[in-house]
Amino acid sequence: MTPTSVKDEKGSSKSDFSELELFASDNGDGALDPVESLRIRRKIDCVLMPLMCILYFIQYLDKSTLGSSSILGILTATHLDANELSTVFYLSYLVFEYPQNLALQRFPVGRWLSVNIFIWSVALCCHAACRNFRELVVVRIILGMCEGSITAGFLLVSSMFYTRNEQMLRVGYWYLMNGTAQIATGFISFGVLHIQTKGFQPWQWLMIITGILSFMTATAFWFLFPDSPTTAWFLTPEERATAIQRVKVNQTGVGNKHFKKEQFYEAIRDPKTWGFALFSGISNVTNSISAQAPLITASFGFTYLQTSLLGIVSGLIEIFTIWTGVNICARIPNSRDIGAIYILPNIAGLLMVNLINWNDRIALLAGQYLNGLGTTSFVLMLSWLNAVTAGQTKKITAPPPHSQLLPVNAIMLCAYCIGNAVGPFMWKQKYKPRNHVPWTVIGACYVSCITLLLLLRLYMSRENRKRDAEPQDENTDTEVYVKQETADGGIVKLLKVDKGFLDMTDVQNRSFRYVL
């Protein structure tokens, strides 16, 4: 076979030599030892998963403080509209999504996340000092700005450390911490309702407690969270090479920092980019139920103390459904669209809340709980999107002057923000107590989400069949080499690199097959 030299977009691959050598197949031409691979994965799990789960727990705990505080006295104390504040949060998230994605590509992921967590811990504590709507707007803007880094950062790190099938479980595990946070919020809210402090209300204690927990998390991330397999502090040089070889099957590359304009343009022309974004936006319009849940439950006739504790059940349901969903997908090949099935109970719950006699509060509560099952579909979508998108620039972001257009992850998260921002406006006082209008809109969203998931599967299935039918590329088996150069352009040596590490997109790499 004839060796082929591959250069970087700028004309050479002047990467850090030690990192470049980790990608060279000379370091591991033989088959990867499954026992060693499993050992490395467990070692990665022991560091990454606790940190990611803790942060996602803290993130949702912080984000849900406004909803919990609505039954703890914040609405009266600050004369605010909780729906407007929720919209402010997500608009801030949207505005800062591009800078956050750009920063994640340019700075060490762990350090950047820790800085954001520290800032939002301070902002959260500052909530307790707010006395009016304007002051709360400022701190909610800061929270939205900082949260924009979390999901994007986690998706990026997950794709670098785990295979596509492993990502499904790991994304599910750190996302189900939202349910755990709901349980914790219920207990914390119940506890602070019993705190009798002169001049300091229960909702203020809730903000201080969650702010302190966030500060502790920021400290842990600064010292412990890795940026990529090539620099993971807890792996030896040999283990780093094995960690990289493990994810070769993803065919997505690992941590390339160079902007590639062809990947950027491919991202915005790819139909599935907009399919996933549309699903993200529509499904998060329905997420407004989460923010309204304490008020809806209280409207059924339960006391504030009962409402705080009843919120725990929603958390348990979310944990169970996400856990079952990701495990089913991990065990049954090509079953990512099972998220559509998890939306069906939501439709049943919607009908119950709208049609059951208003005095039957237990049945109404059951219908409300059923509306929490569909969260699993969004979790499965996150891991699905990560698994079917290859190419670092295509996944993450683009530098100026392209800031008005954002590749796949950023587009999806922008749609997520828009959905969450517009959702709360449906819940107007004139529609209470039955809220038939917002529930009707949510029902239409449920049907649309099911349709989109099935269409996405159909599109990618057809693309796989098309690639299977294509004649084999005569260059498929060609050995690929990357030049390792000195600063003055002198070639030190050629390193043979596996095709899976060449930072090709899912469209460019015709060997890539979409998981379904």
Side-chain angles (χ1 to χ4, degrees):
M1 291 181 289
T2 305
T4 300
S5 175
V6 178
K7 290 189 176 183
D8 181 82
E9 287 295 322
K10 295 184 179 180
S12 65
S13 55
K14 299 183 180 69
S15 304
D16 179 79
F17 288 1
S18 60
E19 288 195 16
L20 181 58
E21 289 171 350
L22 286 174
F23 296 97
S25 55
D26 291 338
N27 287 314
D29 277 330
L32 192 61
D33 181 3
V35 175
E36 178 66 7
S37 177
L38 179 61
R39 186 185 71 83
I40 298 299
R41 192 194 73 189
R42 287 173 175 169
K43 196 169 183 179
I44 293 170
D45 280 342
C46 286
V47 176
L48 254 64
M49 291 310 298
L51 289 169
M52 295 171 84
C53 288
I54 289 171
L55 179 53
Y56 229 75
F57 169 85
I58 292 296
Q59 173 195 248
Y60 192 85
L61 194 67
D62 295 349
K63 190 164 57 176
S64 64
T65 51
L66 185 61
S68 300
S69 297
S70 64
I71 63 170
L72 296 178
I74 191 173
L75 301 181
T76 303
T78 56
H79 313 289
L80 61 84
D81 184 327
N83 290 341
E84 291 180 358
L85 272 185
S86 180
T87 299
V88 166
F89 173 88
Y90 285 108
L91 287 177
S92 174
Y93 193 129
L94 174 63
V95 169
F96 288 98
E97 188 57 40
Y98 164 68
Q100 287 286 12
N101 275 263
L102 181 59
L104 284 168
Q105 193 175 24
R106 293 189 173 181
F107 301 123
V109 178
R111 297 298 175 89
W112 183 251
L113 290 177
S114 66
V115 168
N116 278 274
I117 304 164
F118 171 75
I119 293 173
W120 99 35
S121 70
V122 175
L124 203 58
C125 290
C126 289
H127 277 65
C130 296
R131 291 293 181 271
N132 55 56
F133 180 78
R134 289 192 302 273
E135 293 172 354
L136 280 170
V137 165
V138 173
V139 291
R140 298 306 287 185
I141 287 174
I142 296 174
L143 285 184
M145 172 187 72
C146 294
E147 190 180 323
S149 65
I150 306 306
T151 301
F154 278 14
L155 290 174
L156 173 61
V157 171
S158 294
S159 67
M160 289 192 290
F161 279 94
Y162 296 108
T163 66
R164 291 195 288 186
N165 199 48
E166 292 168 352
Q167 288 173 39
M168 168 64 67
L169 288 173
R170 272 71 189 174
V171 171
Y173 290 157
W174 50 255
Y175 205 95
L176 65 76
M177 297 308 294
N178 285 0
T180 309
Q182 287 185 49
I183 296 172
T185 301
F187 281 118
I188 294 173
S189 298
F190 182 79
V192 297
L193 273 170
H194 292 81
I195 298 177
Q196 302 297 326
T197 307
K198 186 176 181 181
F200 214 71
Q201 297 184 38
W203 67 268
Q204 293 172 303
W205 278 114
L206 179 64
M207 299 296 183
I208 294 295
I209 291 170
T210 51
I212 292 173
L213 292 174
S214 299
F215 175 78
M216 295 167 62
T217 305
T219 304
F221 261 71
W222 180 268
F223 291 106
L224 300 176
F225 197 75
D227 303 310
S228 78
T230 62
T231 58
W233 60 268
F234 55 91
L235 299 176
T236 65
E238 294 77 14
E239 289 172 338
R240 292 173 187 174
T242 303
I244 291 171
Q245 291 297 321
R246 284 184 68 254
V247 299
K248 179 174 65 176
V249 296
N250 291 349
Q251 295 285 307
T252 57
V254 179
N256 190 296
K257 296 294 184 181
H258 296 300
F259 167 66
K260 298 181 178 180
K261 63 181 181 181
E262 74 276 8
Q263 290 194 17
F264 169 79
Y265 291 122
E266 179 185 309
I268 60 177
R269 293 194 303 264
D270 193 337
K272 70 178 187 299
T273 297
W274 302 103
F276 279 113
L278 190 58
F279 176 88
S280 178
I282 294 174
S283 66
N284 280 285
V285 170
T286 70
N287 196 42
S288 59
I289 300 173
S290 299
Q292 294 292 323
L295 297 176
I296 294 173
T297 303
S299 72
F300 294 157
F302 295 99
T303 66
Y304 287 160
L305 283 173
Q306 291 171 332
T307 299
S308 297
L309 292 177
L310 288 171
I312 296 171
V313 179
S314 296
L316 291 171
I317 291 173
E318 184 167 328
I319 291 172
F320 176 75
T321 53
I322 292 176
W323 184 85
T324 57
V326 296
N327 276 278
I328 289 172
C329 285
R331 286 164 172 75
I332 302 177
N334 296 325
S335 59
R336 304 294 174 107
D337 58 344
I338 196 176
I341 296 177
Y342 278 87
I343 299 176
L344 296 177
N346 288 43
I347 297 176
L350 179 151
L351 294 173
M352 290 173 65
V353 172
N354 279 272
L355 301 178
I356 289 177
N357 188 290
W358 190 245
N359 295 320
D360 192 349
R361 63 178 187 172
I362 301 301
L364 291 170
L365 184 63
Q368 173 72 2
Y369 285 149
L370 283 175
N371 276 279
L373 272 66
T375 304
T376 303
S377 65
F378 182 74
V379 178
L380 297 179
M381 182 279 296
L382 280 178
S383 60
W384 197 6
L385 173 63
N386 217 33
V388 298
T389 306
Q392 193 75 354
T393 301
K394 184 175 181 179
K395 278 186 177 183
I396 303 301
T397 189
H402 306 293
S403 58
Q404 73 275 19
L405 293 172
L406 304 173
V408 178
N409 281 354
I411 290 173
M412 181 274 294
L413 289 172
C414 286
Y416 163 88
C417 296
I418 294 171
N420 277 292
V422 303
F425 284 106
M426 301 184 299
W427 303 89
K428 297 182 179 296
Q429 184 65 37
K430 63 182 179 180
Y431 300 137
K432 294 180 179 179
R434 297 306 298 249
N435 292 304
H436 288 309
V437 172
W439 282 117
T440 300
V441 174
I442 286 172
C445 290
Y446 288 154
V447 174
S448 299
C449 286
I450 292 173
T451 304
L452 281 168
L453 287 176
L454 297 179
L455 288 175
L456 282 165
R457 180 188 174 92
L458 177 63
Y459 172 78
M460 287 184 280
S461 178
R462 292 179 62 182
E463 183 62 27
N464 284 345
R465 290 196 299 271
K466 184 189 301 182
R467 296 185 185 193
D468 290 340
E470 289 176 354
Q472 186 175 4
D473 187 347
E474 62 181 9
N475 295 318
T476 298
D477 297 325
T478 301
E479 293 178 352
V480 181
Y481 287 81
V482 175
K483 292 179 181 179
Q484 189 178 50
E485 301 178 0
T486 60
D488 59 3
I491 299 177
V492 177
K493 59 182 175 180
L494 293 176
L495 293 174
K496 187 171 72 173
V497 178
D498 189 278
K499 186 179 179 181
F501 295 138
L502 291 181
D503 193 35
M504 299 172 70
T505 70
D506 51 280
V507 174
Q508 293 169 340
N509 183 0
R510 304 308 290 178
S511 299
F512 189 97
R513 293 297 181 271
Y514 297 110
V515 293
L516 302 175

